[in-house]
Amino acid sequence: QGSSANALLFFQHALNSGVRRYHVAPVLCQRAKVAMSHFEPNEYINYEKLEKNINIVRKRLDRPLTLSEKIVYGHLDDPAKQEIERGKTYLRLRPDRVAMQDATAQMAMLQFISSGLPKVAVPSTIHCDHLIEAQSGGEKDLQRAKDINQEVYNFLSTAGAKYGVGFWKPGSGIIHQIILENYSYPGVMLIGTDSHTPNGGGLGGICIGVGGADAVDVMAGIPWELKCPKVIGVKLTGKLSGWTSPKDVILKVAGILTVKGGTGAIIEYHGPGVDSISCTGMATICNMGAEIGATTSIFPYNERMKKYLGKTGRADIAALADEFKQHLVPDSGCQYDQVIEINLSELKPHINGPFTPDLAHPVSDIGAVAEKEGWPVDIRVGLIGSCTNSSYEDMGRSAAVAKQALAHGLKCKSKFTITPGSEQIRATIERDGYAKVLREVGGLVLANACGPCIGQWDRKDIKKGEKNTIVTSYNRNFTGRNDANPETHAFVTSPEIVTALSIAGTLKFNPETDYLTGADGKKFKLEAPDADELPKLEFDPGQDTYQYPPKDGSGQHVDVSPTSQRLQLLEPFDKWDGKDLEDMLILIKVKGKCTTDHISAAGPWLKFRGHLDNISNNLLIGAINIENGKANSVRNALTQEFGPVPDTARYYKKMGVKWAVIGDENYGEGSSREHAALEPRHLGGRVIITKSFARIHETNLKKQGLLPLTFADPADYNKIHPVDKLSIVGLKDFAPGKPLKCIIKHPNGSQETIMLNHTFNESQIEWFQAGSALNRMKELQQKSS
């Protein structure tokens, strides 16, 4: 499609590249039964290049390859020379696409603007899903968000137009659902500025969550670095049935691997049980792989994916994938670093929580466990939808449960909300009657957005500090994440279990065995829900909410007011001065779990995601200070007064004093938000020392010129006290694989020396020396020009 001039340009590009066959990837599918494409020479599916790279690597390694290895190595910048060793070497990759949600896109685009480049080098999109607060219902909440966030939406829209980035307007839906419906395909490598980007693995793609600086690298046409992932195989046997759903697979895996068990690895599902799971069910499983720290998760190409591609207007992609299927499934005899086996026929419905997504319980046990632990058993709110579970099948199974309750005169005892994943899902469930049923049972349909899943919830039914329980079909349930109330006990489970529990109003209800009492006084049992995985008719696309980037956006003006409280152009961070880091103060020694929610809270702070100085006022306000057991209360070592963490950091910066943070295990778990790295850098931080890091956060810290270091001996965490001073010595000889020395100076004059490990490679050390990866990019540009 497109003009003849564009077509000639495109095919000339194909001939020049020496490729015999290209497939143009649809950017917007099935709009009023017309498949439309944004026709650009650099936007195509090139399975032949993937095949060529795989063959080069296969010959070099001389062994069978896992599926994830095929796709990752198939995107190597230099497959003939790239050193490849799982868990050790850094790979230089060429991803196919970039996707950014609006909260992270602000900083990503601000960084891209400061790079000075005229246009993105790969197809890229912005998705407006994070800034819409759930309050009174879809239409009203959406309009309110458009009014409140007009400045930000205008910035993203005009920046997208200027730099060649597609723009999905507010109301379009959640980024990961939009990617599944439009952009993911078997064999793609896509990076997204959100930790749940792995959702696209449900369509056989390697889709990886990153920080904005990583996205800038890819958009700038620079090879993207990733430590060569290990591969954990999850072999599925048996078949899903009854109340057991795809969500239960990942809830079970989370219980086995814990929140850090997948760190540095790709989770690759395989085995005969795979074929019993729908494409969107596979996406659910991959989505929540972020909760076990995995780099990403993936399923092999099969008929369920082919069916989904056809229903979303991409049958031509499925036909092409069929031709190259041998590269979209694992080789026979391939080796995994670890193998977990799950029999789906024996798997029971699960519910995980509270406060952490890896605390797994069978639904049959949760009532008794809650009573024993003192967790509230009465359910205040049930919430279904989100990027994890908002497919047509999810909504259908929930509606099937609701219909049974309505037939017996019952409605939900708990409050009940529904979040459609996209405008296409919303329009289709309205057309097919699912939304009507869910409303009749007591549900409130929210906007097509993240909403309560990320804390965008104007909750009125409780007061802050009130102990209560909610159940959701979301992915993450950290303390205070959904409603900013630390006493809300949040549990994650499947949408159908959420619906059943909301009808019963209690955690003590097991829909597999327990009875409800109908309005007529008679007892009845809910039957296991059944629903179509895809609509019988075509999807209803709903409203057209996509803005194509113009062919030439050079004349587009991007406005950032110097007095804006929402947006702020970036100033380069200072370069390393060539000296060791002497006598740093400790801003905070963190006790226990410290996620990116603790480091840079979301919720009401989302409005400042484009203004680095303003959002830095939330730095580490959720982290627990080991010195006093309190959040957002640290000792100022210069005044000896206790005060908020950001204020103390600003005081140190004003006084020219460098500082460090001491953390526990899996520091930076959770969201990909790079603000958790930008803020400490902006306020004068230099070093983060922990027992271990979550993958994305460690990379984000490196990108911003900070030093993420780990204790060579984890017990050394106990040697450092909040009142100590730290010196990192040996930075002039900073080298890959060479530990750094840390001198701890105690107030009584005594000293201790410990060793700290790092994972920096040579180019990452250059980021540190230049002050940030962006600074280093500019240095290289200046040299080349």
Side-chain angles (χ1 to χ4, degrees), residues 684-702:
R686 285 294 181 268
V687 180
I688 313 292
I689 305 171
T690 70
K691 294 179 182 177
S692 63
F693 286 97
R695 175 190 64 86
I696 300 176
H697 187 60
E698 182 181 25
T699 301
N700 286 346
L701 291 168
K702 291 178 182 178

Side-chain angles (χ1 to χ4, degrees), residues 437-735:
V437 170
L438 294 171
R439 285 193 190 95
E440 287 176 351
V441 84
L444 174 67
V445 178
L446 301 174
N448 314 322
C450 300
C453 183
I454 60 161
Q456 284 284 48
W457 185 15
D458 184 21
R459 191 177 179 190
K460 302 291 189 184
D461 63 299
I462 60 158
K463 295 178 180 179
K464 191 168 183 178
E466 184 180 343
K467 198 173 180 180
N468 75 104
T469 284
I470 64 173
V471 292
T472 81
S473 70
Y474 303 163
N475 43 44
R476 206 161 271 169
N477 59 345
F478 303 143
T479 303
R481 176 174 174 86
N482 302 123
D483 61 2
N485 180 10
E487 289 300 323
T488 292
H489 293 56
F491 296 84
V492 291
T493 184
S494 67
E496 51 267 48
I497 293 294
V498 172
T499 306
L501 294 179
S502 299
I503 291 164
T506 175
L507 289 177
K508 295 172 71 175
F509 178 71
N510 177 9
E512 287 192 302
T513 58
D514 295 344
Y515 287 79
L516 294 168
T517 302
D520 58 3
K522 295 180 181 179
K523 292 188 178 295
F524 72 98
K525 199 168 104 172
L526 293 170
E527 298 295 325
D530 187 33
D532 294 330
E533 64 180 284
L534 294 165
K536 290 184 171 63
L537 302 173
E538 297 302 317
F539 275 109
D540 184 339
Q543 298 179 43
D544 187 352
T545 53
Y546 181 69
Q547 172 185 296
Y548 289 89
K551 291 176 184 176
D552 181 6
S554 58
Q556 175 69 55
H557 178 66
V558 180
D559 184 30
V560 178
S561 169
T563 60
S564 172
Q565 294 301 301
R566 300 284 303 267
L567 299 164
Q568 181 186 46
L569 293 174
L570 297 175
E571 294 291 333
F573 289 130
D574 59 313
K575 295 178 66 172
W576 176 54
D577 61 8
K579 300 176 182 178
D580 287 337
L581 295 167
E582 297 278 358
D583 293 334
M584 290 181 293
L585 299 178
I586 296 170
L587 178 67
I588 183 172
K589 182 179 179 182
V590 177
K591 178 182 178 182
K593 186 187 280 281
C594 189
T595 71
T596 48
D597 279 12
H598 295 88
I599 304 167
S600 176
W605 292 94
L606 284 169
K607 61 178 172 286
F608 296 126
R609 284 284 181 87
H611 197 292
L612 180 55
D613 194 57
N614 281 347
I615 200 168
S616 293
N617 288 322
N618 75 1
L619 175 65
L620 286 159
I621 61 175
I624 301 301
N625 180 9
I626 200 168
E627 186 175 7
N628 57 12
K630 295 180 179 180
N632 202 25
S633 175
V634 294
R635 183 195 301 271
N636 184 320
L638 302 181
T639 68
Q640 296 304 309
E641 296 177 355
F642 277 85
V645 183
D647 293 0
T648 307
R650 287 186 187 278
Y651 187 83
Y652 291 164
K653 181 180 181 180
K654 179 182 176 182
M655 302 303 292
V657 177
K658 297 179 176 67
W659 51 263
V661 170
I662 310 301
D664 212 317
E665 294 275 8
N666 206 33
Y667 185 89
E669 171 192 343
S671 169
S672 69
R673 69 191 65 154
E674 67 179 341
H675 296 77
L678 283 159
E679 292 174 33
R681 184 72 165 97
H682 175 64
L683 295 185
R686 285 294 181 268
V687 180
I688 313 292
I689 305 171
T690 70
K691 294 179 182 177
S692 63
F693 286 97
R695 175 190 64 86
I696 300 176
H697 187 60
E698 182 181 25
T699 301
N700 286 346
L701 291 168
K702 291 178 182 178
K703 287 276 186 178
Q704 303 307 334
L706 284 148
L707 284 177
L709 307 173
T710 56
F711 295 104
D713 179 358
D716 287 345
Y717 169 87
N718 297 316
K719 292 180 179 179
I720 299 177
H721 306 289
V723 293
D724 293 336
K725 292 182 179 180
L726 304 178
S727 295
I728 306 296
V729 298
L731 287 175
K732 289 183 179 179
D733 299 317
F734 193 13

Side-chain angles (χ1 to χ4, degrees), residues 42-87:
N42 67 342
E43 189 159 2
Y44 51 80
I45 297 173
N46 189 349
Y47 280 133
E48 291 184 343
K49 182 178 180 182
L50 188 75
E51 180 178 60
K52 180 182 177 182
N53 286 1
I54 290 170
N55 289 338
I56 291 170
V57 173
R58 190 195 303 281
K59 188 175 180 180
R60 288 181 57 202
L61 298 183
D62 193 27
R63 62 171 173 80
L65 300 176
T66 68
L67 168 60
S68 50
E69 286 185 306
K70 288 181 181 182
I71 302 175
V72 171
Y73 304 161
H75 285 83
L76 285 170
D77 182 51
D78 188 353
K81 297 179 181 177
Q82 171 70 62
E83 188 179 356
I84 299 170
E85 187 176 357
R86 287 187 196 169

Side-chain angles (χ1 to χ4, degrees), residues 173-460:
I174 305 172
I175 178 173
H176 313 302
Q177 182 67 27
I178 298 291
I179 288 171
L180 200 70
E181 292 172 354
N182 295 275
Y183 300 125
S184 186
Y185 60 84
V188 72
M189 175 172 275
L190 179 151
I191 70 164
T193 59
D194 190 279
S195 56
H196 292 104
T197 302
N199 190 80
L203 257 178
I206 289 290
C207 302
I208 302 176
V210 299
D214 277 335
V216 172
D217 280 355
V218 179
M219 291 191 292
I222 297 172
W224 173 61
E225 281 196 346
L226 176 73
K227 181 177 276 192
C228 187
K230 294 183 178 180
V231 188
I232 298 174
V234 179
K235 183 178 181 181
L236 301 179
T237 60
K239 185 178 181 180
L240 286 177
S241 62
W243 283 92
T244 307
S245 75
K247 185 66 163 280
D248 298 306
V249 177
I250 186 58
L251 294 177
K252 178 71 173 179
V253 171
I256 294 169
L257 288 177
T258 77
V259 291
K260 63 177 184 175
T263 303
I266 293 176
I267 312 297
E268 185 171 312
Y269 293 86
H270 63 284
V274 166
D275 292 336
S276 75
I277 305 172
S278 67
C279 177
T280 51
M282 290 187 266
T284 290
I285 294 167
C286 291
N287 176 294
M288 204 174 154
E291 270 47 74
I292 54 177
T295 301
T296 192
S297 302
I298 191 170
F299 278 83
Y301 177 61
N302 66 3
E303 287 297 313
R304 307 299 279 268
M305 294 183 191
K306 182 176 181 178
K307 189 176 179 181
Y308 184 80
L309 285 168
K311 206 67 173 178
T312 52
R314 295 173 288 173
D316 47 355
I317 296 179
L320 198 61
D322 284 341
E323 289 186 49
F324 290 85
K325 186 173 181 179
Q326 72 271 24
H327 303 302
L328 305 174
V329 296
D331 287 342
S332 176
C334 67
Q335 296 296 307
Y336 297 101
D337 294 283
Q338 178 183 351
V339 177
I340 297 166
E341 187 165 336
I342 296 175
N343 185 337
L344 301 178
S345 300
E346 297 174 356
L347 184 63
K348 288 292 186 181
H350 272 61
I351 183 168
N352 288 22
F355 305 125
T356 185
D358 59 348
L359 187 57
H361 320 272
V363 171
S364 57
D365 296 348
I366 189 62
V369 172
E371 287 191 321
K372 179 183 176 183
E373 297 291 337
W375 304 332
V377 295
D378 291 337
I379 299 167
R380 291 293 188 90
V381 190
L383 307 99
I384 66 169
S386 84
C387 67
T388 322
N389 278 108
S390 58
S391 69
Y392 185 82
E393 181 182 36
D394 288 328
M395 295 299 168
R397 284 174 68 89
S398 294
V401 174
K403 277 183 183 177
Q404 295 178 62
L406 290 168
H408 290 84
L410 295 187
K411 292 191 175 185
C412 291
K413 287 186 177 178
S414 310
K415 289 183 179 294
F416 186 52
T417 70
I418 303 98
T419 303
S422 69
E423 170 61 8
Q424 180 166 273
I425 291 295
R426 183 208 62 78
T428 306
I429 66 171
E430 287 287 359
R431 181 196 68 193
D432 293 353
Y434 290 166
K436 182 174 184 289
V437 170
L438 294 171
R439 285 193 190 95
E440 287 176 351
V441 84
L444 174 67
V445 178
L446 301 174
N448 314 322
C450 300
C453 183
I454 60 161
Q456 284 284 48
W457 185 15
D458 184 21
R459 191 177 179 190
K460 302 291 189 184

